[in-house]
Amino acid sequence: MTMQETTTFEPLKGQDAPCRVRVVPDDGDQRAYLQTTGYLDPADLCIGRAVEELPRILSIRSPAHHLAAARLLDRLFNVEPPDIAKNMRNALGRSLVLCRHLRKLHLLLLDPNDPFPDHRASAKPAGRRAAVAHRRAETVMHALGLAQEAAAILGGRSDHPLTAIAGGVSRFLKDDYYQRLTEIADACLELVLKIEAFFREDLLNEGGPLHHLSEMEIDPVPTATATEGKIVVKDRSGKVVGDFPPEKTPEKISVRREPWSYLPFASLKNGAAGPDTGEKMPGVFLVGPLARMDNEAETETSETRLTPSDACRAMLADLIRTAERMTDLYKKENFVGPAIRTVPEKMGAEAWAALEGPAGLIVLGATVDGKGIVESIRVVDPIQINNGVRCRIAEAAVAEGLAQNRSHTDIKRRLENSLLLF
Amino acid sequence: MTDYEPKIIAFLCNWCSYVAADAAGVSRFQQAANVRVIRVFCSGMVDPSYVLKAFSSGADAVLVAGCHPGDCHYISGNMKALRRSFLLANLLKEMGVDEGRFRLEWIAASESPRYAEVINEMSESVRQLGPMH
Amino acid sequence: MKPKIAIVSASGCRACETTMLDIHYGVSALNRWAEIQFWPFVLGSSMADLERIDHLDVCFFSGAIATGSDRAMAEMLRKKCDRLVAVGACAAYGGMPGLKNLKKPATAEAADRGDLPEELALPEQENRVRALDGVDGIDRVDAVVPGCPAPVNLVWAAVSALVCGGEADARITYAAARLPEEMVRPILSGLGPPPGAVFAGEKAVCATCSRKKEEKRFKAVKRPYQAYESTGRCLLEQGLICQGIATREGCGGLCTGVGVPCRGCYGKPPATFDPGAKMVSAISSTFETEKPAEIQKIADDFVDMTGCFYRYTLPAQCMLMKG
């Protein structure tokens, strides 16, 4: 495919926010823009609401925002949740990691031409490939179903969870659930190991249907995670270059709007991650499974290149690690105790909180008036942070596609699959 | 704005305020002609939804009038109206309805001058406020 | 011939759309019953694809109408679809995105989109967020699956009823147990649901809430961050704002069951005129005192009633602010 005029890839399937990639000719060259075409600003929904409603309102952004907002309330009311409440929130967080990653993997597995091939009902035998693909998709859905059940037990609902409230959680678990959670954790670990194996051995390898994920690359960028309530920034090689508490966020991270996309870009301010390297989009950084990765131990990631395939491997490693921790955490003794919440006594005027969600670092900050009405809110989350990396991935995918002379459909598929992972 | 005439919906209790309104007419008290009267059996039956419906159907102001406390024909209907009125007034204020567009008044059957006074006062203040929205 | 269906999301959070995928094993079986012709999220179908389609049988539409492209898609789907189904609180009543309508109009924001080349122009943001049936070109919505997000069992009931011709299987009988009888009969007999059917109950959430209701009396409003009993007594009786009484049943009292008050994501029950009015009436009838000053004091402790009573329904069911 060659481009003399503007080309659009729209819609991009499997993306959380509606978006498109528009390739615009630029002095004989092309430039690719990843545009988010619709966006709900959390401030529009939150300002004017009672502050204790934040966990329920922000949960429409991602289920992990529910937990982050609850942590914000703990800070605002200056209370420490009892251990069992912390465990329950943690346990919910774990199940949400599984839900999120498995959803992405399922979308990756769906056949682009026929996402739901019904190989049993079709007249002619569909062959081994289709049957195997179907089986794999069902394995992922099975694990997802279990993770959602755990999330529903712990959070009341898997999608917009309910139970995290100021100072703890809203109720004790019912007796029947302790045993069930243990069963779920064991079953999830087994399934996740299976899933990781077929992704690693068959799908991502040379000749595998997802091998294209390693065919495009960008320069690695700094990463950030929330570790013990602090935000930790690492440079490209994985070395810690700085940490700061969530309330310092406005000094360290800027949120910028570009005229060509509704979704703002969060970037590290100068000095937050070492010297500026003079890139065209300075301060781009990355959060999520790749940022959580302990470089040497878990996968071989390169210091000089970053591919969507790395992100996929990081996601698989994250799945296994999370499922493993679930088996430790989903035990009755972690969920029984005298109290589920510490009741707040007085309210502060401003609070900040950081949480490592399934998709990465979430930072929330809010100020309230004397009656507890939200006056201002700051949300820095993976949707905005990874926006910069996603733009670069889109540029790389388009450049690679044009250089290899690929068809429009092929480029679109590569774009979709690689953007899914960030 | 000179030819703007506010529309006021008045929910009047059958036993006190409606009688007062009737008497005010019979006694030929001067009163503004902006009122559409709806006779109800008790001010206590004016559900907040009636008030919202009146505003959403184009009323510029709503008056709910009933018997004085203690005089209710149904013993405590007017207290029900009173209990609701505060929260309703707050909700209306949040939704951008100016204060003074919704009023709860006690008008006994014998107080026809009071009725005319309330009506005149209300139509004048609503005229000042101008149309809703 | 298999019915042709479309599944789309406008502005929202995709939870309802992924609920369609959460029919788990059932989702591959969906292909046995229907031909999915348009599904941007999973098939990557574009507006151009939609223009080429002449006719669709059923469209499951989720998300609120907040941008020009949402509106265009909704209007086109209405023209091409026999039955348009609003899935989730956003499509049905405007949902949480509708809270944006409470915001005072922004002035500065539009300015910095200045010298953008035409090819990078973004779809216009509508000045108000609307529910699906609040769009001018849409005269009716044929069925509604409420909830935020719409729960899997009710979505599946709608799919089985509208797409699979009501073929009885375990899932629909499970979901049917929560639906009103006059809806279940025609579905199970294969006639399909009555026009305008809402896949939920007819009463208020209180009808299925597991909490004990005794005598309602409250002296002061309590906010959910304050102390209250996590199980047992009715939350409204304890002084919390719980909207179960002004909300359509169908969730089985999910929120109140896990110890948090209802916020009305199923919209109002058919017998209620306006959810806010209903709440005002329900709450204030339980005030114990008759002294105006005391009542005033209690009433003044309620904060952000509009954002609470109309949390999910502002664009569609708030008599004073809809439209």
Side-chain angles (χ1 to χ4, degrees), chain A residues 165-208:
Chain A
I165 57 173
V169 291
S170 61
R171 60 101 167 78
F172 287 99
L173 288 184
K174 287 183 188 152
D175 287 344
D176 322 348
Y177 288 151
Y178 302 124
Q179 180 61 35
R180 183 63 189 148
L181 283 176
T182 313
E183 285 166 21
I184 290 176
D186 289 342
C188 275
L189 182 57
E190 205 186 312
L191 286 166
V192 160
L193 285 169
K194 225 188 264 179
I195 292 165
E196 194 265 353
F198 67 67
F199 262 91
R200 185 168 37 81
E201 288 164 14
D202 295 345
L203 302 175
L204 290 166
N205 274 350
E206 192 121 15

Coordinates of all heavy atoms in Angstrom, one line a residue, chain A residues 165-208:
Chain A
I165 N -15.5 0.8 50.4 CA -16.0 2.1 50.9 C -15.0 2.8 51.8 O -14.0 2.2 52.1 CB -17.4 1.9 51.6 CG1 -17.2 1.0 52.8 CG2 -18.4 1.5 50.7 CD1 -18.4 0.9 53.6
A166 N -15.3 4.0 52.2 CA -14.3 4.7 53.0 C -14.0 3.9 54.3 O -14.9 3.5 55.0 CB -14.9 6.1 53.5
G167 N -12.7 3.6 54.5 CA -12.3 2.9 55.7 C -12.4 1.4 55.7 O -12.1 0.8 56.7
G168 N -12.7 0.8 54.5 CA -12.8 -0.6 54.5 C -13.7 -1.1 53.4 O -13.7 -0.6 52.3
V169 N -14.4 -2.2 53.7 CA -15.3 -2.8 52.7 C -16.7 -2.8 53.3 O -16.9 -2.7 54.5 CB -14.9 -4.2 52.2 CG1 -13.7 -4.1 51.4 CG2 -14.7 -5.1 53.4
S170 N -17.7 -3.0 52.5 CA -19.1 -2.8 53.0 C -19.7 -4.0 53.7 O -20.7 -3.9 54.3 CB -20.0 -2.4 51.8 OG -20.0 -3.4 50.8
R171 N -19.1 -5.2 53.5 CA -19.7 -6.3 54.2 C -18.8 -7.5 54.3 O -17.8 -7.6 53.6 CB -21.0 -6.8 53.5 CG -20.8 -7.3 52.0 CD -20.8 -8.8 51.9 NE -20.9 -9.2 50.5 CZ -19.9 -9.2 49.6 NH1 -18.7 -8.7 50.0 NH2 -20.0 -9.7 48.4
F172 N -19.1 -8.4 55.3 CA -18.3 -9.6 55.4 C -18.6 -10.6 54.3 O -19.7 -10.5 53.7 CB -18.6 -10.3 56.7 CG -18.1 -9.6 57.9 CD1 -18.8 -8.8 58.7 CD2 -16.7 -9.9 58.3 CE1 -18.3 -8.2 59.8 CE2 -16.2 -9.2 59.4 CZ -17.0 -8.4 60.2
L173 N -17.8 -11.5 54.0 CA -18.1 -12.6 53.0 C -19.1 -13.6 53.6 O -19.0 -13.8 54.8 CB -16.9 -13.3 52.5 CG -15.9 -12.5 51.7 CD1 -14.7 -13.4 51.2 CD2 -16.6 -12.0 50.4
K174 N -19.9 -14.1 52.8 CA -20.8 -15.2 53.3 C -20.0 -16.5 53.4 O -19.0 -16.7 52.7 CB -21.9 -15.4 52.3 CG -23.0 -14.3 52.3 CD -24.1 -14.7 51.4 CE -25.0 -13.5 51.2 NZ -25.7 -13.5 49.9
D175 N -20.4 -17.3 54.4 CA -19.6 -18.5 54.7 C -19.3 -19.4 53.5 O -18.3 -20.0 53.3 CB -20.4 -19.4 55.8 CG -20.3 -18.7 57.1 OD1 -19.4 -17.8 57.3 OD2 -21.0 -19.1 58.0
D176 N -20.3 -19.5 52.6 CA -20.2 -20.4 51.4 C -19.0 -20.0 50.5 O -18.5 -20.8 49.7 CB -21.4 -20.4 50.5 CG -22.7 -20.4 51.3 OD1 -22.7 -20.5 52.6 OD2 -23.8 -20.1 50.7
Y177 N -18.7 -18.8 50.6 CA -17.7 -18.2 49.6 C -16.3 -18.6 49.9 O -15.5 -18.6 49.0 CB -17.9 -16.7 49.5 CG -19.1 -16.2 48.9 CD1 -19.7 -15.0 49.2 CD2 -19.7 -17.0 47.9 CE1 -20.8 -14.6 48.6 CE2 -20.9 -16.6 47.3 CZ -21.5 -15.4 47.6 OH -22.6 -14.9 47.0
Y178 N -15.9 -18.9 51.2 CA -14.5 -19.1 51.5 C -14.0 -20.3 50.6 O -13.0 -20.2 50.0 CB -14.3 -19.4 53.0 CG -14.8 -18.3 53.8 CD1 -15.7 -18.5 54.9 CD2 -14.3 -17.0 53.6 CE1 -16.1 -17.4 55.6 CE2 -14.7 -15.9 54.5 CZ -15.6 -16.1 55.4 OH -16.1 -15.1 56.2
Q179 N -14.8 -21.4 50.7 CA -14.4 -22.6 50.0 C -14.3 -22.3 48.5 O -13.4 -22.7 47.8 CB -15.4 -23.7 50.3 CG -15.1 -25.0 49.6 CD -13.7 -25.6 50.0 OE1 -13.3 -25.4 51.2 NE2 -13.1 -26.2 49.1
R180 N -15.3 -21.6 48.0 CA -15.4 -21.3 46.6 C -14.2 -20.5 46.1 O -13.7 -20.8 45.0 CB -16.7 -20.6 46.3 CG -17.0 -20.3 44.8 CD -17.1 -21.6 44.0 NE -17.2 -21.3 42.6 CZ -16.7 -22.1 41.6 NH1 -16.2 -23.2 41.9 NH2 -16.8 -21.7 40.4
L181 N -13.8 -19.5 46.9 CA -12.7 -18.7 46.4 C -11.4 -19.5 46.3 O -10.6 -19.4 45.4 CB -12.5 -17.6 47.4 CG -13.5 -16.4 47.3 CD1 -13.2 -15.4 48.4 CD2 -13.3 -15.7 46.0
T182 N -11.2 -20.5 47.3 CA -10.1 -21.3 47.2 C -10.1 -22.2 45.9 O -9.1 -22.3 45.2 CB -10.0 -22.3 48.4 OG1 -10.3 -21.5 49.6 CG2 -8.7 -22.9 48.6
E183 N -11.3 -22.7 45.6 CA -11.4 -23.5 44.4 C -11.1 -22.7 43.2 O -10.4 -23.1 42.3 CB -12.9 -24.0 44.3 CG -13.2 -25.1 45.2 CD -14.8 -25.4 45.2 OE1 -15.5 -24.9 44.3 OE2 -15.2 -25.9 46.2
I184 N -11.7 -21.5 43.2 CA -11.4 -20.6 42.0 C -9.9 -20.3 41.8 O -9.4 -20.4 40.7 CB -12.2 -19.3 42.1 CG1 -13.7 -19.5 42.0 CG2 -11.8 -18.2 41.1 CD1 -14.6 -18.3 42.2
A185 N -9.3 -20.0 42.9 CA -7.8 -19.7 42.8 C -7.1 -20.9 42.2 O -6.2 -20.7 41.3 CB -7.3 -19.3 44.2
D186 N -7.4 -22.1 42.7 CA -6.6 -23.2 42.2 C -6.9 -23.4 40.7 O -6.0 -23.7 39.9 CB -7.1 -24.5 42.9 CG -6.5 -24.5 44.4 OD1 -5.5 -23.7 44.6 OD2 -7.0 -25.2 45.2
A187 N -8.2 -23.4 40.3 CA -8.6 -23.6 38.9 C -8.0 -22.5 38.0 O -7.5 -22.8 36.9 CB -10.1 -23.6 38.8
C188 N -8.0 -21.3 38.5 CA -7.4 -20.2 37.7 C -5.9 -20.4 37.4 O -5.5 -20.3 36.3 CB -7.6 -18.9 38.4 SG -9.2 -18.1 38.1
L189 N -5.2 -20.8 38.4 CA -3.8 -21.1 38.3 C -3.5 -22.1 37.2 O -2.7 -21.9 36.3 CB -3.1 -21.4 39.6 CG -1.6 -21.6 39.5 CD1 -0.9 -20.4 39.0 CD2 -1.1 -22.0 40.9
E190 N -4.3 -23.2 37.3 CA -4.1 -24.3 36.3 C -4.4 -23.8 34.9 O -3.6 -24.0 34.0 CB -5.1 -25.4 36.7 CG -4.6 -26.8 36.2 CD -5.7 -27.8 36.5 OE1 -6.2 -27.8 37.7 OE2 -6.0 -28.5 35.6
L191 N -5.5 -23.1 34.7 CA -5.9 -22.6 33.4 C -4.9 -21.6 32.9 O -4.5 -21.6 31.7 CB -7.3 -22.0 33.5 CG -8.5 -22.9 33.6 CD1 -9.7 -22.2 34.0 CD2 -8.7 -23.7 32.3
V192 N -4.5 -20.7 33.8 CA -3.6 -19.6 33.3 C -2.2 -20.2 32.9 O -1.6 -19.7 31.9 CB -3.4 -18.6 34.5 CG1 -2.2 -17.8 34.3 CG2 -4.6 -17.7 34.6
L193 N -1.8 -21.2 33.5 CA -0.5 -21.9 33.1 C -0.7 -22.5 31.7 O 0.2 -22.4 30.9 CB -0.1 -23.0 34.1 CG 0.4 -22.5 35.4 CD1 0.5 -23.7 36.4 CD2 1.8 -21.9 35.2
K194 N -1.9 -23.1 31.5 CA -2.2 -23.6 30.2 C -2.2 -22.5 29.1 O -1.6 -22.7 28.0 CB -3.5 -24.3 30.2 CG -3.6 -25.7 29.6 CD -5.0 -26.1 29.5 CE -5.4 -27.0 30.7 NZ -6.8 -27.4 30.7
I195 N -2.8 -21.4 29.5 CA -2.9 -20.3 28.5 C -1.6 -19.7 28.2 O -1.2 -19.5 27.0 CB -3.9 -19.2 29.1 CG1 -5.3 -19.7 29.2 CG2 -3.8 -18.0 28.2 CD1 -6.2 -18.9 30.0
E196 N -0.8 -19.6 29.2 CA 0.6 -19.0 29.0 C 1.4 -19.9 28.1 O 2.0 -19.4 27.2 CB 1.3 -18.8 30.4 CG 2.5 -18.0 30.3 CD 3.8 -18.8 30.2 OE1 3.8 -20.0 30.2 OE2 4.8 -18.1 30.0
A197 N 1.2 -21.2 28.3 CA 2.0 -22.2 27.5 C 1.7 -22.1 26.0 O 2.5 -22.0 25.2 CB 1.8 -23.6 28.0
F198 N 0.4 -22.0 25.7 CA 0.1 -22.0 24.3 C 0.3 -20.7 23.6 O 0.7 -20.6 22.4 CB -1.3 -22.6 23.9 CG -2.5 -21.9 24.4 CD1 -2.9 -20.7 23.8 CD2 -3.4 -22.5 25.3 CE1 -4.0 -20.0 24.2 CE2 -4.6 -21.9 25.7 CZ -4.9 -20.6 25.2
F199 N 0.2 -19.6 24.4 CA 0.6 -18.3 23.8 C 2.1 -18.3 23.5 O 2.6 -17.9 22.5 CB 0.3 -17.2 24.8 CG -1.0 -16.5 24.4 CD1 -2.2 -17.0 25.0 CD2 -1.1 -15.5 23.5 CE1 -3.4 -16.4 24.6 CE2 -2.3 -14.9 23.2 CZ -3.4 -15.3 23.8
R200 N 2.9 -18.7 24.6 CA 4.3 -18.7 24.4 C 4.8 -19.6 23.4 O 5.6 -19.3 22.5 CB 5.0 -19.0 25.8 CG 6.5 -18.8 25.8 CD 7.0 -18.8 27.2 NE 6.4 -19.7 28.1 CZ 6.6 -21.0 28.2 NH1 7.5 -21.6 27.4 NH2 5.9 -21.8 29.0
E201 N 4.3 -20.9 23.4 CA 4.9 -21.9 22.5 C 4.4 -21.8 21.1 O 5.1 -22.1 20.1 CB 4.7 -23.3 23.1 CG 5.5 -23.5 24.3 CD 5.1 -24.7 25.1 OE1 4.2 -25.5 24.6 OE2 5.5 -24.8 26.3
D202 N 3.1 -21.6 20.9 CA 2.5 -21.7 19.6 C 2.2 -20.3 18.9 O 2.4 -20.2 17.7 CB 1.2 -22.4 19.6 CG 1.4 -23.9 20.0 OD1 2.6 -24.3 20.0 OD2 0.5 -24.6 20.4
L203 N 1.7 -19.4 19.7 CA 1.1 -18.2 19.1 C 2.1 -17.1 18.8 O 2.1 -16.5 17.8 CB -0.1 -17.7 19.9 CG -1.2 -18.7 20.1 CD1 -2.2 -18.1 21.1 CD2 -1.8 -19.1 18.8
L204 N 3.0 -16.9 19.8 CA 3.9 -15.7 19.7 C 5.2 -16.1 18.9 O 5.9 -15.2 18.5 CB 4.3 -15.2 21.1 CG 3.1 -14.5 21.8 CD1 3.5 -14.3 23.3 CD2 2.8 -13.1 21.2
N205 N 5.5 -17.4 18.8 CA 6.7 -17.8 18.2 C 6.7 -17.6 16.7 O 5.7 -17.3 16.0 CB 6.9 -19.3 18.4 CG 7.6 -19.6 19.7 OD1 8.1 -18.6 20.3 ND2 7.7 -20.8 20.1
E206 N 7.9 -17.8 16.1 CA 8.1 -17.6 14.7 C 7.1 -18.6 14.0 O 7.0 -19.7 14.3 CB 9.5 -18.0 14.3 CG 9.9 -17.6 12.9 CD 11.1 -16.7 12.8 OE1 11.8 -16.5 13.8 OE2 11.2 -16.1 11.8
G207 N 6.4 -18.0 13.0 CA 5.4 -18.9 12.3 C 4.0 -18.9 13.0 O 3.0 -19.2 12.4
G208 N 4.0 -18.4 14.2 CA 2.7 -18.4 14.9 C 1.8 -17.2 14.5 O 2.4 -16.2 13.9

